[in-house]
């Protein structure tokens, strides 16, 4: 018996070891280095100089605009993604013809087959002076600026991250027991009551997964605000690139990165807590 348990443990260790080593080398060790840098000082020629000081964290308010834009636009982008994704996922999972469902789901994933950079450049053309503003000027609507605005950044966020919101919600809705919907109708519930009493509560785990996934990724977003915001809509990711590559203030950049990681952990813990609470207290109201 002990020999069998030992073999199982060795097999489990062999399976887990590659992933554990990968995480240790490319996640844990870089984070430890970043944490050490955060308490250091900027060297005269740039980079890192060993020290132990909290001055970098005290300077965080100087990047308040980047934090504000990120903490406002990231949740707003996730909410807009949710508003677009839920009806789409609902149609795919509940209303679409099963014969064409796989094709429709594949169309949702197709944008990921091309680079986000290429797709964002396409939106730069569409929102730029030769795109929609040019068409509007032909009908007498002049001086319309769409590019380099928060609206352009939100549009790019919704377009880029929408599939990541649709898929978790679709999986939750696709697993929905149709007998509950039939029972709700048999008990006299209207479609709206069935949706809010049965469908929505049972799909909340997928909603929470999608919102958490999109929000966490948006907290570190760099490309979309850089291209569609034109430097006027500054995210934390843009601040990190500037500090590490331009001003070479590695300790201050590390302090911002550590703070960002702390924010991500808090968001993830809140999402998991809400999801567990929903799963533990979920009730289905059929009337």
């Amino acid at each position: 018996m002990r020999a069998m348990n030992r073999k199982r443990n060795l097999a489990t260790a062999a399976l887990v070891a590659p992933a554990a080593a990968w995480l240790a080398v490319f996640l844990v060790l870089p984070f430890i280095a970043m944490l050490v840098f955060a308490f250091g000082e900027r060297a005269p020629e740039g980079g890192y100089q060993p020290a132990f000081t909290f001055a970098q964290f005290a300077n965080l308010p100087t990047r308040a605009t980047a934090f504000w834009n990120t903490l406002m636009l990231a949740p707003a982008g996730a909410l807009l993604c949710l508003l677009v994704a839920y009806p789409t996922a609902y149609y795919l999972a509940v209303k679409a013809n099963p014969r064409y469902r796989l094709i429709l789901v594949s169309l949702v994933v197709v944008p990921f087959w091309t680079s986000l950079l290429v797709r964002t450049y396409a939106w730069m053309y569409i929102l730029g002076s030769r795109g929609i503003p040019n068409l509007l000027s032909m009908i007498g609507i002049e001086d319309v600026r769409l590019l380099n605005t928060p609206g352009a950044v939100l549009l790019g966020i919704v377009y880029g991250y929408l599939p990541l919101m649709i898929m978790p919600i679709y999986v939750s809705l696709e697993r929905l027991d149709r007998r509950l919907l039939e029972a709700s109708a048999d008990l006299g519930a209207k479609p709206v009551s069935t949706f809010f009493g049965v469908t929505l509560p049972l799909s909340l785990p997928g909603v929470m997964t999608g919102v958490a996934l999109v929000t966490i990724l948006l907290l570190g977003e760099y490309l979309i605000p850089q291209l569609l915001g034109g430097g006027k809509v500054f995210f934390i990711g843009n601040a990190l690139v500037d500090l590490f590559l331009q001003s070479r203030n590695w300790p201050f950049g590390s302090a911002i990165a550590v703070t960002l990681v702390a924010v991500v952990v808090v968001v993830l813990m809140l999402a998991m807590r809400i999801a567990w609470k929903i799963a533990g207290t979920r009730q289905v109201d059929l009337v």
Side-chain angles (χ1 to χ4, degrees):
M1 190 67 177
R2 289 182 179 178
M4 291 182 62
N5 290 334
R6 187 177 301 173
K7 288 183 178 179
R8 286 181 181 176
N9 293 335
L10 289 175
T12 302
L15 292 173
V16 174
W22 179 275
L23 290 175
V25 173
F26 294 104
L27 181 64
V28 177
L29 292 180
F31 180 76
I32 293 175
M34 185 173 60
L35 191 61
V36 172
F37 282 12
F39 292 97
E41 294 179 345
R42 183 183 184 276
E45 68 280 2
Y48 168 71
Q49 179 173 291
F52 185 77
T53 175
F54 291 91
Q56 311 304 331
F57 292 95
N59 289 332
L60 288 177
T62 61
R63 298 288 177 165
T65 300
F67 278 98
W68 175 259
N69 288 339
T70 303
L71 296 178
M72 289 296 104
L73 292 180
L79 179 60
L80 288 175
C81 284
L82 176 61
L83 294 178
V84 178
Y86 198 98
T88 305
Y90 181 84
Y91 174 79
L92 293 175
V94 179
K95 299 295 184 180
N97 190 326
R99 181 181 303 176
Y100 305 110
R101 184 172 297 159
L102 182 60
I103 298 176
L104 295 176
V105 173
S106 300
L107 292 177
V108 172
V109 184
V110 162
F112 278 121
W113 295 359
T114 58
S115 169
L116 177 62
L117 177 63
V118 174
R119 289 181 279 138
T120 305
Y121 268 117
W123 276 109
M124 288 181 64
Y125 182 86
I126 294 172
L127 300 177
S129 59
R130 292 180 293 178
I132 295 177
N134 184 42
L135 296 177
L136 293 176
S137 65
M138 294 180 180
I139 58 175
I141 304 177
E142 304 284 348
D143 300 327
V144 176
R145 185 167 68 90
L146 300 177
L147 195 61
N148 302 334
T149 63
V153 174
L154 285 175
L155 180 61
I157 286 172
V158 173
Y159 176 76
Y161 287 88
L162 187 60
L164 295 179
M165 183 71 75
I166 291 177
M167 296 311 297
I169 300 175
Y170 167 77
V171 171
S172 292
L173 291 172
E174 201 272 335
R175 293 177 179 175
L176 184 65
D177 190 346
R178 300 298 190 274
R179 292 174 298 179
L180 294 174
L181 304 180
E182 296 173 0
S184 176
D186 292 340
L187 290 173
K190 296 180 179 179
V192 175
S193 300
T194 299
F195 175 78
F196 286 104
V198 180
T199 306
L200 183 59
L202 293 177
S203 64
L204 282 180
V207 171
M208 294 305 305
T209 300
V211 170
L213 178 62
V214 171
T215 302
I216 289 172
L217 291 175
L218 286 177
L219 289 175
E221 178 60 49
Y222 164 76
L223 182 63
I224 293 175
Q226 178 68 23
L227 296 181
L228 298 183
K232 298 180 181 179
V233 184
F234 216 59
F235 272 37
I236 294 177
N238 305 99
L240 292 176
V241 171
D242 176 65
L243 289 169
F244 276 97
L245 300 182
Q246 302 298 326
S247 59
R248 289 180 51 80
N249 192 344
W250 295 1
F252 189 29
S254 298
I256 293 178
V258 169
T259 305
L260 177 61
V261 171
V263 171
V264 170
V265 170
V266 170
V267 170
L268 186 58
M269 291 179 64
L270 288 175
M272 292 177 63
R273 185 180 180 87
I274 294 173
W276 287 339
K277 189 174 182 180
I278 291 171
T281 61
R282 186 174 60 199
Q283 296 179 354
V284 178
D285 184 8
L286 296 180
V287 182

